[in-house]
């Protein structure tokens, strides 16, 4: 009898611990603006041009969508329903706003450089960026890890830079330091120089505000929520 009671107690304890672990799972998220088809295709094309000379890169596709990050953060997975509720209605504040991709950004004095499609920091974009940070601040945590991300298909670990970058997004890369952009990857400067010569400013409206789980190198991998 005592033995059966002990077994039952241990099973309950194990189940309770398992449920607690699931509730407290930490995930890396990206609150972002999606792109219209023409700008999406332009980003994919530029990314492919970068990949030709530097294949050790991320590939933009329907599993790694080009986007404009507003906030990256670690949060508890159990808090996602509340976070999604807070994001409802925010898209309406920028639905009619026209955004501008005005330059190809990269370090011209290096042999290789991270490249992106840089954007104008409009008042509407900055206001949305700051609003999202304020709403999600109570849910932000700092103890993310490898398992917080959508894993790489080839089994390689999530890059250490990515894991360290996310908890510093607000302190180091937001507000006055916010640089809205569409990431393209790391390319040879000679290639980027050539691409920059043909780059033209592009105006567009963002189709949606979305919440994604991050993958390696800050890629938007898993759609969690999207405005309607």
């Amino acid at each position: 009898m005592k033995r059966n009671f002990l077994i039952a107690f241990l099973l309950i304890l194990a189940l309770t611990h398992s449920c607690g672990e699931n509730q407290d799972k930490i995930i890396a998220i990206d609150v972002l603006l999606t792109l219209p088809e023409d700008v999406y295709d332009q980003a994919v094309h530029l990314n492919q041009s970068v990949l030709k000379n530097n294949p050790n890169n991320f590939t933009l596709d329907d599993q790694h969508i080009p986007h404009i990050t507003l906030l990256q953060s670690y949060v508890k997975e159990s808090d996602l329903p509340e976070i999604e509720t807070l994001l409802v209605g925010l898209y309406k504040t920028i639905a009619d706003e026209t955004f501008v991709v005005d330059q190809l950004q990269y370090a011209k004095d290096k042999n290789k450089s991270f490249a992106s499609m840089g954007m104008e920091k409009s008042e509407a974009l900055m206001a949305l960026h700051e609003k999202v940070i304020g709403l999600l601040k109570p849910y932000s945590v700092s103890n993310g890890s490898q398992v917080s991300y959508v894993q790489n298909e080839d089994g390689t670990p999530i890059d250490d830079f990515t894991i360290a970058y996310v908890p510093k997004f607000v302190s180091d890369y937001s507000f006055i330091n916010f640089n809205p952009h569409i990431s393209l990857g790391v390319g040879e400067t000679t290639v980027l120089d050539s691409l920059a010569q043909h780059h033209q400013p592009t105006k567009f409206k963002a189709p949606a505000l979305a919440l994604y789980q991050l993958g390696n190198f800050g890629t938007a991998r898993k759609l969690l929520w999207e405005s309607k």
Side-chain angles (χ1 to χ4, degrees):
M1 184 71 176
K2 289 182 178 179
R3 182 173 180 273
N4 291 338
F5 178 81
L6 179 60
I7 292 173
F9 175 78
L10 291 174
L11 285 173
I12 292 171
L13 185 64
L15 288 171
T16 302
H17 180 68
S18 176
C19 290
E21 281 187 335
N22 289 335
Q23 290 176 352
D24 291 337
K25 180 180 178 182
I26 306 301
I27 65 171
I29 62 166
D30 194 334
V31 182
L32 56 84
L33 291 174
T34 60
L35 305 174
E37 186 175 358
D38 58 335
V39 182
Y40 183 108
D41 290 344
Q42 183 182 7
V44 170
H45 174 73
L46 289 170
N47 171 250
Q48 290 173 346
S49 297
V50 170
L51 282 172
K52 287 179 181 178
N53 290 74
N54 193 20
N56 296 324
N57 233 320
F58 59 81
T59 300
L60 293 177
D61 53 29
D62 58 359
Q63 298 298 315
H64 310 75
I65 71 157
H67 63 277
I68 304 158
T69 289
L70 297 169
L71 168 67
Q72 292 184 0
S73 181
Y74 289 128
V75 300
K76 294 180 181 179
E77 189 173 41
S78 57
D79 284 336
L80 284 178
E82 292 183 31
I83 290 171
E84 292 166 9
T85 298
L86 289 173
L87 296 177
V88 172
L90 284 187
Y91 174 70
K92 293 179 181 179
T93 65
I94 53 89
D96 296 324
E97 292 291 331
T98 298
F99 299 112
V100 181
V101 173
D102 60 353
Q103 60 180 312
L104 189 66
Q105 295 179 335
Y106 61 100
K108 299 176 176 61
D109 59 340
K110 299 183 181 297
N111 293 327
K112 287 186 177 181
S113 171
F114 176 78
S116 64
M117 298 164 66
M119 296 182 55
E120 288 185 357
K121 294 170 68 170
S122 68
E123 290 185 11
L125 184 59
M126 291 301 297
L128 180 61
H129 163 68
E130 294 173 11
K131 180 70 172 179
V132 169
I133 290 175
L135 288 173
L136 269 63
K137 183 178 180 180
Y139 301 93
S140 179
V141 298
S142 59
N143 56 330
S145 65
Q146 288 278 340
V147 297
S148 301
Y149 296 79
V150 176
Q151 298 301 297
N152 295 320
E153 289 84 350
D154 61 4
T156 56
I158 301 299
D159 182 75
D160 288 340
F161 177 84
T162 302
I163 296 173
Y165 179 93
V166 171
K168 296 189 295 184
F169 186 89
V170 173
S171 62
D172 293 7
Y173 306 108
S174 295
F175 303 110
I176 192 172
N177 296 322
F178 182 49
N179 176 33
H181 64 273
I182 304 165
S183 298
L184 301 173
V186 176
E188 294 182 5
T189 307
T190 53
V191 174
L192 300 175
D193 286 340
S194 177
L195 295 174
Q197 290 178 6
H198 303 286
H199 184 75
Q200 297 292 328
T202 304
K203 296 181 179 181
F204 66 95
K205 293 183 179 181
L209 176 74
L211 177 67
Y212 272 76
Q213 184 176 5
L214 287 166
N216 208 20
F217 303 123
T219 50
R221 293 295 313 275
K222 180 181 179 181
L223 177 63
L224 303 172
W225 173 87
E226 188 172 54
S227 61
K228 298 179 180 179

